[in-house]
Structure formats: C-alpha cells, structure tokens
Amino acid sequence: MLKKRIIPCLDIKDGRTVKGVNFVGLIDAGNPVELAKRYVDEGADELVFLDITATHENRKTLVQLVEKIAEEINIPFTVGGGISEISDVDNLLKAGADKISINSSAVKNPNLIKTFADKFGSQCVVVAIDSKQFGDEDYVFVNGGRIKTDYKTHNWAKKVEELGAGEILLTSMDFDGTKQGFDVRLLNEISQIVNIPIIASGGAGKIEDFTEVFNETKATGALAASIFHFGEIKINDLKQVLKQQNIAIR
C-alpha cells in the first residue's frame, strides 16, 4: 500500500501565493519562496505550484519563479499552469520541477496527455481535474474554474488514465476553501473507477479531515493550502497525529 502524502499547494497569481473560496475571492497568502522553504522545514512530502491565471491570460507558467522555489526545496515538486506543448514541460523540468500538472490544455487536446507520457513518462504527468456537482452529475471545469465543460468528471477521469496520466489531482470546487472537509463522496466514486493515485484537494479545515480522507477513501495524497499558509495547522503536527492513528504516512 502506498504511504499517504501531505501536500501543500501554492496557488500563484501575479507572482504571489493566493487563496479563495470556491475558486473566487482571492486574497494574498504570502511569498511563495518563503512558504515553500517553510513547508520543507515542516516535513511536507511534496509541493504543488499552480499558476492559476496562466491559461486564462494565455501565457506560460512563471519559469523563473519555479526555478527560485526549486533551488530552496528537496521534495518532489509539481508545477502546473499554461502548459500546452513539449517545450513547456522541458523548460519546467530544467527549472527544477519533477512533475507537471495539466488541466485546461488536456481537456482542449486530450492527446496531449499521451504525448507527454510517451515523452517524459507517466510518472511525470499529473492531470488536475476541477470538478463541480450539478444535481446527480459532476462536471469538469477549466480556466481556473471559470468555464464548465461537457465532460462528466467520472468519464474524464477514466479517459485521462487510459491516455497515460500517472496521477490525478482531484479538486472539488464545491468544497474548495470551505474548510468543511474533503469531498469523500466524489473521491470514493472516482477511486473506484481508476487505478492511478488520486490526490484529494479542496475542503481541508482541520486535522480530522485528513484522518477521514485517508481512512474513508483510497486517496494517496491530501492537498491543502490556506490552513497551511496561515499557520492554522502545522504539517509536522498533522503528520504526528496521523501516525498516532496508524495511518501509514511518509
């Protein structure tokens, strides 16, 4: 069984870390380089960097900022935002990223997943899925949660696995920033239909939420942002509690 991972996420806008609720109402959460260094010191297992306006602004990810962060950390580093061609992946890996995350570009051109997986290996390709529930159905959103697609989340998750994604970063837009706990229903449903690792994202507000997501779903990683950025939960304290509860954590 894969050991569970605690993953802080840096949502980046204009070079600063930001955080909102349900993808809107963004507020400044600090310097991304300083936050990254702090998370390494606290024992984070991995770090995710998402340039959340790159696609909307039709530009590439902030490579220089990625490079600055990579110089300060020694944990696996995933970078997403504005990645649409092989040269983008090349540049980010050279800047220090270990994995890349694609969302909007994958929906626009699903074969991009296979292209990247063939070129760089599935372990390098994370497909981020932003999902929102409408009635009994869940739909995929792109452009930082601005645009609803016709893809149903369950169908899209199966498709990205078939195309070679190594991992799914599954964010529940309904739960994101609410601190009401992870979307256990959605995580369970998706984990039953795919075999690749799933990172749970959206809704973490207290230590018990991490216990719940690891005990009640097959998620192998739990991602959170604001509770770590604003010091509401220290990562080393969280991991200590999870170990005491016999959850296999890195």
Side-chain angles (χ1 to χ4, degrees), residues 37-189:
K37 290 165 62 177
R38 196 181 93 201
Y39 294 142
V40 171
D41 292 341
E42 289 185 7
D45 298 303
E46 298 187 17
L47 181 69
V48 168
F49 171 113
L50 298 177
D51 186 343
I52 60 173
T53 57
T55 297
H56 183 64
E57 295 171 356
N58 195 28
R59 61 170 173 76
K60 302 301 181 183
T61 299
L62 304 166
V63 174
Q64 289 182 330
L65 181 55
V66 169
E67 197 165 27
K68 285 182 181 177
I69 293 172
E71 288 173 354
E72 300 290 342
I73 66 175
N74 57 3
I75 56 177
F77 186 26
T78 301
V79 177
I83 300 169
S84 59
E85 52 194 42
I86 285 177
S87 61
D88 298 332
V89 182
D90 259 333
N91 290 336
L92 290 170
L93 296 181
K94 288 175 182 173
D98 299 290
K99 296 183 278 188
I100 57 91
S101 174
I102 51 177
N103 182 342
S104 303
S105 60
V107 172
K108 184 177 180 181
N109 176 17
N111 284 329
L112 203 59
I113 299 169
K114 186 176 188 309
T115 299
F116 289 170
D118 288 346
K119 173 73 175 177
F120 302 101
S122 290
Q123 82 290 337
C124 179
V125 182
V126 179
V127 174
I129 300 177
D130 295 334
S131 178
K132 188 175 178 61
Q133 186 176 22
F134 288 87
D136 294 332
E137 301 287 356
D138 300 279
Y139 285 89
V140 175
F141 277 65
V142 296
N143 281 55
R146 294 175 180 83
I147 300 173
K148 176 177 175 289
T149 74
D150 292 330
Y151 273 115
K152 292 180 180 177
T153 303
H154 298 58
N155 296 340
W156 179 235
K158 286 191 288 187
K159 188 176 181 69
V160 305
E161 181 181 38
E162 291 167 1
L163 289 169
E167 198 166 11
I168 291 174
L169 169 54
L170 181 58
T171 299
S172 167
M173 294 178 63
D174 301 299
F175 284 62
D176 184 75
T178 65
K179 299 183 180 179
Q180 297 299 307
F182 292 97
D183 192 341
V184 171
R185 173 200 63 84
L186 179 64
L187 288 161
N188 266 327
E189 291 179 5

